[in-house]
Amino acid sequence: MTQLSTLIPLVRERCGGVLEKFALDHLKRAYQKFCAESLYLARSQQFNQGEAARLTIDDDHAFGGVSFVLDANGHELERGLDYNVSVSGEVFITKNTSAFKVFYYITPLFSLPDDFDANDTLISKYADYLADGAASTLMKMPNTQWTEINFSEHYRRNFIDGYRLAYREAINALDEKRPTKPREFY
């Protein structure tokens, strides 16, 4: 796992003179927003009938939501009809099936520790976008040597483009595992 502090030099390229503590705090915020908007931290877990279907959540993370659930035959179950999900990440199956697989995502907690281990793949692919997100909020800080409102908007747009790219990647990866529903024509 990679620590967010490794991205501080990228933030300093964008915001000259920023203090390390400020850079790390804004990187943590950018990472949280990036993960929440992109649904990049997707997971899957399989359960057997009768097992308590409590989803595994990583340390310093919270349950984000369920994307879809497949039964033992690989058919997609309908939320509210075949299964329900609690706020804490427990899945309750109402359909009779020998096993089921849950595809879900997690998000980082609001208050992350300074030595937080971030997702390696996300950091290696989207480091510049995360630095842009941190820079966009840092540049809005009043009365600092790095305050620059115009550049802030530029970095904010780059950050949004980054989590949109990551969202598309995450959805495409999920769609490869999701069965296609047959269309009914009348």
Side-chain angles (χ1 to χ4, degrees):
M1 295 297 240
T2 306
Q3 293 198 350
L4 289 173
S5 59
T6 60
L7 300 180
I8 290 174
L10 291 175
V11 175
R12 284 196 170 144
E13 285 176 12
R14 291 153 174 79
C15 298
V18 70
L19 301 174
E20 190 169 307
K21 178 67 177 153
F22 285 145
L24 184 58
D25 286 345
H26 287 262
L27 274 168
K28 290 191 284 188
R29 290 181 195 165
Y31 183 77
Q32 291 161 338
K33 174 116 174 129
F34 194 95
C35 291
E37 295 293 333
S38 70
L39 310 180
Y40 197 81
L41 300 179
R43 306 281 188 268
S44 66
Q45 199 169 347
Q46 185 150 348
F47 299 97
N48 293 319
Q49 181 72 27
E51 280 184 345
R54 186 139 186 78
L55 299 173
T56 305
I57 311 297
D58 297 351
D59 291 339
D60 296 320
H61 288 77
F63 172 68
V66 170
S67 298
F68 60 94
V69 177
L70 301 179
D71 67 7
N73 298 325
H75 296 97
E76 186 172 347
L77 302 178
E78 287 191 47
R79 186 181 194 137
L81 183 64
D82 299 325
Y83 72 94
N84 291 307
V85 181
S86 73
V87 179
S88 63
E90 193 165 359
V91 180
F92 304 98
I93 296 290
T94 56
K95 183 179 180 182
N96 192 14
T97 180
S98 61
F100 57 97
K101 191 168 190 174
V102 181
F103 293 85
Y104 64 102
Y105 59 93
I106 59 175
T107 59
L109 292 175
F110 181 70
S111 59
L112 294 172
D114 287 347
D115 60 347
F116 172 74
D117 288 327
N119 181 283
D120 289 334
T121 307
L122 194 146
I123 295 296
S124 65
K125 281 186 166 181
Y126 299 104
D128 285 323
Y129 294 111
L130 290 168
D132 288 343
S136 74
T137 55
L138 279 165
M139 290 180 163
K140 291 179 187 175
M141 291 179 74
N143 302 325
T144 62
Q145 69 185 42
W146 58 84
T147 300
E148 186 64 54
I149 300 299
N150 294 333
F151 278 136
S152 171
E153 185 60 26
H154 167 74
Y155 287 127
R156 187 185 72 80
R157 283 192 304 270
N158 288 348
F159 179 62
I160 291 171
D161 289 344
Y163 68 66
R164 285 180 177 167
L165 285 171
Y167 175 78
R168 181 62 8 222
E169 182 184 334
I171 292 301
N172 287 342
L174 275 177
D175 284 347
E176 290 175 6
K177 299 171 186 167
R178 185 178 224 156
T180 56
K181 290 183 179 180
R183 291 187 176 186
E184 294 180 24
F185 295 100
Y186 298 99

